[in-house]
């Protein structure tokens, strides 16, 4: 049976709908960095998703070809994730999505080294005749965070974030955004298939 990160690490991917504190270990990702409103039909963000999945599935299906990755095991491609921030803004201003800067990313299995990642980029480029040079191997040491499962549209996230902020105040924690610690979202639902009010998104923010 294929290894499913969501099921094996429920504390990271399936938190309750009430805020909680968690320590997140170092993880490796396929990542693409960009700017702009994620809702733009032909924008950078939409393009980044195509890049991420092309490389993710090149790695996942590598066992079927001649290139064998040491330590490979069958797995389910983890969900799409995103780190979000805006210059001169603490937290997220949902009214000005055009000012978003982001890192779009998908978690890599532990057996994927930087060398194997570079192979996957070359392989995807050759097979799909597309430019995947924006993708890079990203290591994120997230550390201490508050997180919560948000149910509903992306535009209704501020209500959940308000609950998280209240929880922090009650428990003597504070937000700790920096140039290396960001607002983090994990997308468990496909917005093309699920109704907005049923979307499931893990919201995670750095704290101290």
């Amino acid at each position: 049976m294929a290894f499913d990160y969501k099921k094996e690490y429920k504390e990271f991917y399936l938190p309750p709908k009430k805020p909680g504190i968690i320590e997140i270990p170092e993880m490796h990702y396929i990542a693409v960095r960009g700017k702009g409103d994620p809702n733009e039909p032909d924008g950078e963000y939409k393009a980044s998703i195509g890049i991420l999945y092309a490389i993710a599935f090149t790695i996942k299906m590598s066992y079927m070809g001649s290139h064998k990755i040491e330590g490979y095991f069958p797995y389910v491609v983890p969900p799409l994730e995103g780190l979000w921030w805006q210059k001169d803004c603490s937290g997220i201003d949902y009214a000005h999505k055009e000012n978003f800067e982001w890192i779009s990313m998908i978690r890599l299995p532990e057996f994927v080294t930087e060398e194997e990642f570079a192979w996957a980029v070359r392989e995807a480029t050759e097979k799909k005749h597309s430019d995947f040079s924006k993708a890079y191997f990203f290591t994120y040491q997230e550390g201490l965070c508050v997180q919560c499962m948000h149910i509903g549209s992306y535009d209704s996230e501020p209500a959940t974030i308000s609950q998280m902020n209240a929880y922090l105040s009650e428990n003597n924690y504070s937000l700790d955004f920096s140039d290396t610690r960001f607002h983090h979202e994990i997308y468990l639902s496909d917005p093309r298939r699920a109704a907005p009010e049923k979307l499931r998104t893990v919201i995670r923010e750095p704290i101290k």
Side-chain angles (χ1 to χ4, degrees):
M1 183 177 292
F3 187 90
D4 190 334
Y5 283 87
K6 297 191 303 299
K7 294 179 180 179
E8 298 297 331
Y9 296 103
K10 292 182 180 179
E11 65 273 28
F12 300 147
Y13 299 101
L14 297 171
K17 289 182 283 187
K18 293 183 178 180
I21 306 298
I22 188 167
E23 181 81 25
I24 307 296
E26 179 180 280
M27 299 182 192
H28 303 302
Y29 297 88
I30 312 163
V32 176
R33 186 166 180 159
K35 299 179 180 180
D37 188 336
N39 297 317
E40 291 178 0
D42 298 313
E44 283 188 59
Y45 182 74
K46 294 288 175 62
S48 76
I49 295 174
I51 293 171
L52 293 176
Y53 278 104
I55 296 172
F57 278 95
T58 296
I59 295 169
K60 174 180 170 63
M61 304 306 294
S62 62
Y63 72 95
M64 298 184 68
S66 59
H67 183 87
K68 305 301 180 183
I69 300 177
E70 184 176 354
Y72 179 93
F73 54 80
Y75 68 100
V76 177
V77 171
L80 178 68
E81 307 186 32
L83 304 177
W84 301 87
W85 68 97
Q86 292 154 316
K87 287 184 177 179
D88 304 318
C89 178
S90 179
I92 296 295
D93 179 0
Y94 287 82
H96 293 283
K97 295 179 182 179
E98 71 278 5
N99 295 330
F100 272 137
E101 298 191 38
W102 42 262
I103 298 174
S104 187
M105 57 196 199
I106 293 176
R107 184 178 179 175
L108 287 166
E110 292 74 10
F111 59 76
V112 179
T113 63
E114 292 191 56
E115 291 74 21
E116 295 294 0
F117 178 83
W119 167 83
V121 173
R122 293 193 303 270
E123 182 77 359
T125 299
E126 181 179 332
K127 288 193 172 182
K128 297 184 178 296
H129 306 289
S130 295
D131 181 7
F132 297 111
S133 60
K134 288 186 177 180
Y136 63 100
F137 185 95
F138 175 49
T139 299
Y140 193 36
Q141 179 67 57
E142 200 160 11
L144 191 65
C145 295
V146 59
Q147 70 176 11
C148 185
M149 180 70 77
H150 170 73
I151 308 294
S153 71
Y154 304 131
D155 289 336
S156 67
E157 287 181 4
T160 297
I161 292 173
S162 292
Q163 295 176 16
M164 294 166 68
N165 290 339
Y167 175 83
L168 292 179
S169 296
E170 292 167 1
N171 290 277
N172 298 314
Y173 289 96
S174 61
L175 294 170
D176 190 31
F177 294 112
S178 71
D179 58 359
T180 59
R181 307 191 77 204
F182 309 102
H183 174 90
H184 187 173
E185 299 185 1
I186 303 175
Y187 307 105
L188 302 177
S189 304
D190 185 340
R192 299 170 299 178
R193 299 177 181 177
E197 65 273 14
K198 294 183 179 180
L199 293 174
R200 295 188 305 153
T201 306
V202 179
I203 299 179
R204 187 183 293 161
E205 298 198 318
I207 62 172
K208 59 183 178 180

